[in-house]
Amino acid sequence: MRKLIILAMAAAIFATQVGIGLAMLDGNPRQGRFLFRQECRPCHMENPQQEPAGEYLGPDAKRQAEWNEVFEDVQALPCYEHWEIDEDMLIHVHTYLHQGAADSPTPETCG
Amino acid sequence: MKDGKNNISRRGFLKSSVAAAAVGAGINSPLVKGLVPRAHASGSRPQGEVTSQYTACDMCFNRCGMIARKQNGVIKKLDPNPNCRKSRGMICAKGNAGVQHVYSPDRLKYPLMRKGKRGEGKWERVSWETALDYTAEQLLKIADEYTPCGVMFTPGVDSQSRFVQMFCDVFGSYNYTNHESMCLLSRNRAYLDTFGEVPTGDVLHSKYIIISGSNPMEAIMTPDTIDFIQAKKNGCKIVVLDPRFTKTAAIADEWHQIRPGTDMAFFLALSHVIVKEERFCCPDKTYGYDQFVEHIKDYTPEWAEKECGIPAEDITRIAKEITEAAPRAMVYPGRRSSDYEGSTQIMRSRAIVNVLLDNWDRPGGLMASREVGVSSPDYEIPWIPENPPDRVDAGVVPGLFNHVGSFQIMREAIIRQEPYPVRGWFSFKTNFMQTGANRQKTIRMLENIDFFVNIDIMMTDSAWFADGVLPGNSFLERDDPVHALQGSSACACAFIREPVIDDMFDSRPPLWIIKELAKRMDLEHHFDFTMEEFRQKQVKDLEGALEVMRQDGIYFNPSKAYGIYEGDPMKTLSGIKELYNQRYEQWGIEPMPVYSPPRNPRDDQFRMVVGRPAFFTQSRINNELLTEFMEENTLHMNPEPALKLGLEDGDMVEVESSAGKGRLRLEIDEGIEKQTVYMVTGFGALSPQMSLIYNKGASIAEVLEDERDSICGNMAMHETFVNVRKVS
C-alpha cells in the first residue's frame, strides 16, 4: 500500500481537500475500513498495541455530525502528527466512519 | 474443535454406522422404526441409559432452548429446556420434529458433483478432497477473472453463518446477502429511521396491542407468541387488522378485515385522532412534530374508512383506547414486512403511532436492544484494489442496507451482468428457489452463474440446481459458537451447541468446510482457531458464562431492560424520534408517510398473499412429522368468488400470475377478503429428493411476482395478482 508522509507544509492544501471531502464524502468506505484498521485501530482498540494509546474507536463510537467535526479539524487531533496517510486516504477513512456512524442508515457495530 | 474427520472412536463409529445404515434403509424399514422416537419399539434391543444434553432448536430463527434425550446413541426425543426464558420453557411442533430433521432419509449423505444439466438430477458421488479441491479451484478461477466480487455469498439463518460472512470478507467479495431482503428489512428500515434502532415489543407487560401485517400465533416468535396469551389473561386488549381471519385474529378481542395494502390509511388516521385530540404527551421529544400535524390534517377517520374499510368510529375509538393504555401499549413491530413497494413507509406509519404512544424503552411498549455482552471476534478484511467500488446491487434504492443488500436487485444485476458480472454463488442453508419470488427469474440468473456450490443437509430446490452439493451436518451434530439472543422483557441471553451425536453419513460442519476451502486458497490464517478458542473470545467480558451455558443450557445477562436510553440521544440524525425523517428528505423521498391507494386486481383477478402456519418455517417442510399436519398447501378463497367461478372446496385449481403458475387444491375460507387468495410457503418442490413435498401443492416462489420495496429493496410479495381456474 502506497503511503505518503503528510508534511506540515501541505496542511493548508490538505485541509481544503478534506473540506471538499466533507461536502462530497465520495471515498470508498471499504478502502476506508482497511485503512482505518491499519492506521488507526492499533492505537484505538481495547488493548492498544501502539502509542499514543487512545480510546476504543469504531464507526459507531460517534454520530455522523461528530465524525464530520473530527475531520473538519484533523490537525487538532493529538495523533495527527503520527499519521502516515495522505488526503485521499483520509477521505476514504472519513467516508467509512461516516457511513457506519451510530446514527447512519446502516450503523456498524465494530471497526 | 472436532475436525469431523479423524476423531471418531470405534464406539462412536459403530453407533453412527448403525444409525446411518438404518436411515439409508428407508424410514419404513423395521430398523428405522426401532431407532426414531416416534417409531414402534421392537423390544428386541437392550434399553440403554437415557442421557440428556442441553442444546437449542434450529427449526426456525427463534433458537428455543432444548434438551436432547439420547439412548443407544440415538436421539429419542427433544424436550424444552425449562431454564430458557426466551421460549418460556416450551418448544413448538417444529422443535418436537427436530429429531426427524436429523434422521430424515432425505439427508444428503455425501459430497456430490453435477454430471448432467442443471436441474436434471444427475450427480456423481465424490470424496471431500475432490469436492473441496474443485470448489476452491472454481471460486479462485472466478475471482481471478472477475475479481472476488464475482462471487455472491448467501448464508442462511444459522449460528455458523458468521463464518460464511468471514469467508466472504476475507475472500474479498462485497456481494453478501441472506434471507433478510425477503423478510424483515422494510420493518428494520422504518424503525431505524424513526427510533434509530429496531425494537422488540414488550408484549407481556402491554395493556393494548394493535397487530397489523403480522400473524404471531402462526409465524411463531418467542417469547412474543406465548406472551400474547399471557398478556391477554392479564387484561391486554388485542386488536388485529388482517384481510384474513388468522389464528392471531382468533385470539384477538377485535378483528378488522382491512383491505390489503391500506394499513397506512388506518395508522395515519389513528395519528390524526391522537394529535387532534391532544392525546400525545410529548411533541418536544420528536423531530418535525409541527410538519407532521400539518401533514395528517386531512387523514381523517372518515377518509380512512373509505380506503381501508374500517369504520371511522372504530378508528376514533381505538385511538382513544390505545392512548388511554399508553405507554403500556403498542403497534406490534412484527417481523416479515416484505409485502408492498411502499412497505417501508407503511411500517413508518406504524412506527409513528408508537412514537405518539410514547412507549419507547418503557414497560409494555417497545424495547431497545438489551446488553448480552457477547463480543464479535475481530478479523482482518483485505483491501483488493481490483475490486469494483461497491456492491453489485448498490445505487438502485436509497435505503439499501450495506451489509445485506437486496437479493431482488442482485438477481437483476446478475441477469443483466451490470454493473459488473457476478459468476459464482456460494450458498449455505439458503433456498432461494423456494423463498425468492419469481423462481423462473432465479433459474434465469443461474444461466450467468458459472459455478454454484450449495451447503445444506437436504437436496433442496436450490441444491438441486447447484454444481456442487456439500452435505453440512445438522444442529444436533454440531459444535457452534456462542449465539446471543434478544428475548424481549424475558431476557438477554446466549447459548452454545455441542454435538449430541456424531456427524451422520459423510456430513461435515460448515466451519470445517470453510477451513478446508480456506486452506486451498491461502486464507487459512484467518481461520486459525478452534471453536472453543472462538467462544472464549466471544465471552471474554462474561466471566463464567460458558460454564453457565453448559450447566443450564443458557446464560442470561441481567442487563437493564428499560430506560436504556435514559439521558442519551437516540441514534437518529436529530437525536430524537423522527416523525419527519431528515435523511429521507436528503434522499429525495417523502420524509413522512404519504398514502397512495394500492393497485387493485381487476375484477377477474385476486391479490395473492402468503404466510406460514405454526408448523412450517419457509422451506424447512420436508419433515415427516410436520407434513402430517399438512400434506400439501391449499389456495384459500372466499366462498363468494368461488361460487362465481364455479369452484368448490377441494377442487384442483391453477393459480397463475405474470411470473408463473402452480396447481393446488382449493380451500373455501369464509375468513378471507373477497379479492384476496392465500397460500402457505414451502410446497411445490422441484427437487425429487425433497420427497415429502416434491410436486405437492404449489410454490409461492413460482407464482409470486418480484416487485421490491422502493426504499430498501426488500422483496414485495403481496403485489402479485393472479387468475384462478379449475383444472381436472
Side-chain angles (χ1 to χ4, degrees):
Chain A
M1 175 60 68
R2 184 173 59 94
K3 289 185 180 177
L4 298 174
I5 297 175
I6 301 172
L7 301 173
M9 287 174 65
I13 300 168
F14 176 80
T16 306
Q17 292 295 320
V18 170
I20 293 167
L22 272 177
M24 299 170 65
L25 270 185
D26 58 354
N28 185 316
R30 292 181 177 84
Q31 189 172 1
R33 177 190 163 111
F34 177 80
L35 290 166
F36 175 82
R37 295 172 68 86
Q38 187 179 61
E39 303 292 336
C40 311
R41 176 49 65 82
C43 302
H44 288 288
M45 59 198 302
E46 281 180 13
N47 299 302
Q49 307 292 308
Q50 287 182 24
E51 292 291 330
E55 61 185 6
Y56 168 82
L57 272 186
D60 68 332
K62 294 184 188 297
R63 306 168 74 83
Q64 288 189 329
E66 290 171 333
W67 282 123
N68 288 346
E69 277 176 30
V70 167
F71 281 83
E72 270 173 11
D73 193 13
V74 284
Q75 296 95 329
L77 295 176
C79 51
Y80 173 70
E81 63 189 53
H82 300 275
W83 289 0
E84 293 188 356
I85 54 178
D86 66 20
E87 58 264 38
D88 286 341
M89 292 171 169
L90 205 60
I91 291 171
H92 295 315
V93 174
H94 185 184
T95 305
Y96 162 62
L97 295 169
H98 188 269
Q99 282 198 6
D103 59 343
S104 71
T106 47
E108 191 160 327
T109 54
C110 59
Chain B
M1 69 161 263
K2 182 163 79 87
D3 69 9
K5 232 180 161 183
N6 301 321
N7 66 346
I8 303 174
S9 66
R10 182 175 176 276
R11 185 179 171 80
F13 173 78
L14 288 172
K15 279 182 186 174
S16 59
S17 299
V18 168
V23 176
I27 193 65
N28 290 319
S29 74
L31 181 52
V32 172
K33 287 183 175 177
L35 285 172
V36 294
R38 68 179 279 278
H40 322 245
S42 68
S44 60
R45 289 167 59 83
Q47 296 298 298
E49 184 193 358
V50 175
T51 58
S52 299
Q53 183 177 327
Y54 288 118
T55 185
C57 190
D58 192 48
M59 297 296 285
C60 78
F61 60 86
N62 280 300
R63 312 282 180 262
C64 301
M66 279 180 163
I67 304 172
R69 313 287 187 192
K70 192 169 77 165
Q71 189 179 38
N72 295 332
V74 175
I75 303 164
K76 305 290 281 188
K77 192 173 189 301
L78 294 169
D79 283 328
N81 177 356
N83 301 322
C84 182
R85 286 182 227 153
K86 182 179 186 294
S87 51
R88 305 288 185 200
M90 300 185 195
I91 55 173
C92 70
K94 291 177 284 188
N96 273 289
V99 179
Q100 180 61 20
H101 184 68
V102 176
Y103 291 126
S104 167
D106 283 343
R107 280 280 300 263
L108 284 167
K109 299 172 182 67
Y110 315 102
L112 300 169
M113 287 290 146
R114 179 169 63 84
K115 280 293 146 194
K117 291 178 184 170
R118 279 203 181 116
E120 198 178 27
K122 291 183 180 170
W123 302 96
E124 180 184 8
R125 176 182 168 179
V126 296
S127 67
W128 271 104
E129 199 71 12
T130 302
L132 293 163
D133 285 349
Y134 185 68
T135 300
E137 182 190 312
Q138 292 301 309
L139 294 176
L140 286 173
K141 188 178 159 194
I142 291 166
D144 190 46
E145 196 165 341
Y146 301 101
T147 80
C149 284
V151 180
M152 169 172 70
F153 290 78
T154 63
V157 178
D158 193 280
S159 294
Q160 294 207 23
S161 284
R162 60 166 59 241
F163 300 126
V164 179
Q165 167 93 66
M166 274 178 73
F167 185 51
C168 172
D169 284 340
V170 302
F171 180 78
S173 176
Y174 317 147
N175 291 317
Y176 173 100
T177 192
N178 58 25
H179 81 289
E180 290 185 9
S181 68
M182 284 169 286
C183 183
L184 45 71
L185 287 190
S186 303
R187 177 205 65 173
N188 289 3
R189 183 77 279 154
Y191 277 91
L192 266 171
D193 297 342
T194 307
F195 292 99
E197 191 180 330
V198 181
T200 53
D202 185 10
V203 170
L204 185 64
H205 301 110
S206 198
K207 295 294 175 197
Y208 202 108
I209 303 174
I210 299 175
I211 304 174
S212 142
S214 286
N215 181 18
M217 284 300 113
E218 294 185 85
I220 292 173
M221 188 157 169
T222 58
D224 298 7
T225 299
I226 307 151
D227 286 355
F228 274 113
I229 303 296
Q230 187 58 44
K232 206 167 144 47
K233 285 181 188 167
N234 295 343
C236 177
K237 180 164 184 176
I238 297 174
V239 175
V240 169
L241 317 180
D242 204 301
R244 295 192 301 123
F245 186 75
T246 60
K247 299 286 191 291
T248 305
I251 64 123
D253 297 275
E254 282 182 34
W255 166 59
H256 296 273
Q257 190 172 59
I258 193 167
R259 290 184 192 126
T262 64
D263 303 47
M264 187 196 284
F266 174 89
F267 288 107
L268 290 174
L270 208 66
S271 297
H272 174 97
V273 176
I274 293 170
V275 166
K276 189 178 172 189
E277 296 188 359
E278 298 183 346
R279 292 179 168 275
F280 177 42
C281 61
C282 344
D284 56 325
K285 288 201 277 183
T286 63
Y287 184 86
Y289 183 76
D290 291 342
Q291 290 107 310
F292 184 69
V293 171
E294 178 65 18
H295 178 71
I296 56 167
K297 70 177 190 314
D298 295 329
Y299 290 133
T300 63
E302 291 72 24
W303 162 82
E305 177 179 345
K306 290 177 193 145
E307 294 296 328
C308 69
I310 299 175
E313 56 268 30
D314 284 336
I315 300 173
T316 304
R317 175 182 50 79
I318 290 168
K320 183 173 178 240
E321 289 174 355
I322 197 167
T323 45
E324 281 172 359
R328 286 181 181 266
M330 73 173 100
V331 180
Y332 184 59
R335 188 174 162 89
R336 184 175 80 81
S337 45
S338 47
D339 302 327
Y340 298 99
E341 291 174 45
S343 273
T344 293
Q345 293 284 28
I346 294 170
M347 293 301 294
R348 272 268 291 159
S349 72
R350 293 179 182 134
I352 282 171
V353 171
N354 280 317
V355 172
L356 301 179
L357 297 174
D358 196 33
N359 63 11
W360 178 258
D361 207 8
R362 301 174 77 168
L366 301 185
M367 298 182 69
S369 291
R370 297 173 62 173
E371 184 186 354
V372 184
V374 175
S375 301
S376 292
D378 208 14
Y379 58 99
E380 295 300 324
I381 300 176
W383 164 244
I384 298 168
E386 296 76 23
N387 262 341
D390 213 335
R391 298 177 58 95
V392 76
D393 50 2
V396 178
V397 290
L400 189 78
F401 285 87
N402 291 330
H403 57 290
V404 291
S406 157
F407 174 69
Q408 197 269 2
I409 301 173
M410 287 180 91
R411 188 174 61 186
E412 295 291 334
I414 294 170
I415 290 171
R416 289 196 320 273
Q417 302 201 64
E418 288 175 354
Y420 54 85
V422 172
R423 309 291 301 196
W425 185 1
F426 184 102
S427 171
F428 162 56
K429 207 180 171 184
T430 55
N431 186 13
F432 292 170
M433 284 287 183
Q434 266 290 357
T435 57
N438 201 336
R439 181 156 70 186
Q440 290 305 315
K441 207 176 256 189
T442 306
I443 292 172
R444 202 152 78 239
M445 176 186 80
L446 281 173
E447 291 170 12
N448 287 341
I449 296 288
D450 298 334
F451 180 69
F452 173 21
V453 63
N454 197 306
I455 305 170
D456 215 314
I457 78 163
M458 287 188 198
M459 185 67 86
T460 64
D461 285 358
S462 296
W464 187 248
F465 280 81
D467 302 301
V469 177
L470 307 180
N473 61 1
S474 77
F475 70 105
L476 292 167
E477 299 157 69
R478 293 255 197 94
D479 254 320
D480 271 339
V482 177
H483 196 115
L485 292 168
Q486 293 289 326
S488 178
S489 56
C491 62
C493 59
F495 70 88
I496 56 170
R497 290 193 189 96
E498 290 176 323
V500 178
I501 55 172
D502 290 332
D503 291 340
M504 298 273 290
F505 315 106
D506 211 4
S507 65
R508 294 286 188 275
L511 179 58
W512 180 87
I513 296 170
I514 288 165
K515 281 184 169 190
E516 288 297 317
L517 289 172
K519 271 185 211 168
R520 289 157 170 84
M521 298 173 166
D522 293 329
L523 297 171
E524 67 268 36
H525 55 286
H526 293 286
F527 298 94
D528 184 22
F529 54 80
T530 65
M531 187 63 81
E532 190 58 20
E533 286 166 350
F534 190 85
R535 289 171 180 158
Q536 292 292 349
K537 284 185 182 175
Q538 288 182 287
V539 296
K540 63 184 171 55
D541 299 325
L542 298 173
E543 197 181 337
L546 275 178
E547 289 69 31
V548 173
M549 288 177 216
R550 289 189 168 107
Q551 183 185 306
D552 299 338
I554 193 149
Y555 161 82
F556 298 107
N557 188 325
S559 54
K560 198 172 182 181
Y562 309 109
I564 292 168
Y565 276 81
E566 237 162 42
D568 291 328
M570 305 192 81
K571 293 171 186 169
T572 56
L573 265 188
S574 61
I576 51 180
K577 297 162 204 162
E578 295 209 347
L579 300 172
Y580 183 100
N581 189 284
Q582 301 176 76
R583 188 169 283 120
Y584 283 13
E585 187 180 23
Q586 292 167 11
W587 287 346
I589 58 178
E590 295 291 349
M592 294 174 285
V594 174
Y595 181 78
S596 56
R599 291 184 306 117
N600 284 316
R602 294 191 317 253
D603 287 348
D604 63 335
Q605 292 179 316
F606 298 86
R607 182 187 298 277
M608 167 73 77
V609 298
V610 296
R612 60 186 166 96
F615 34 86
F616 297 145
T617 299
Q618 281 79 32
S619 59
R620 212 169 305 170
I621 293 180
N622 194 50
N623 183 306
E624 193 188 25
L625 296 177
L626 296 176
T627 48
E628 282 186 12
F629 291 106
M630 184 189 279
E631 290 186 358
E632 57 187 75
N633 60 351
T634 53
L635 187 75
H636 290 235
M637 182 185 282
N638 185 282
E640 196 176 305
L643 187 66
K644 281 185 192 166
L645 291 169
L647 300 175
E648 292 180 4
D649 195 71
D651 280 350
M652 180 63 76
V653 294
E654 185 171 86
V655 55
E656 182 172 14
S657 71
S658 68
K661 57 191 174 187
R663 291 185 176 195
L664 69 174
R665 299 268 169 205
L666 189 78
E667 182 168 339
I668 300 294
D669 181 350
E670 292 184 0
I672 193 164
E673 194 267 342
K674 288 175 188 169
Q675 236 184 327
T676 304
V677 289
Y678 165 79
M679 65 183 197
V680 302
T681 64
F683 284 93
L686 296 173
S687 166
Q689 294 183 33
M690 300 291 276
S691 62
L692 299 168
I693 53 169
Y694 172 59
N695 265 345
K696 292 272 182 73
S699 163
I700 67 157
E702 190 70 45
V703 178
L704 289 176
E705 296 161 1
D706 57 328
E707 304 298 330
R708 66 166 176 257
D709 184 315
S710 60
I711 294 179
C712 66
N714 200 13
M715 196 73 87
M717 298 193 189
H718 291 176
E719 298 277 14
T720 301
F721 301 148
V722 296
N723 290 100
V724 180
R725 68 182 182 93
K726 186 174 177 176
V727 290
S728 57

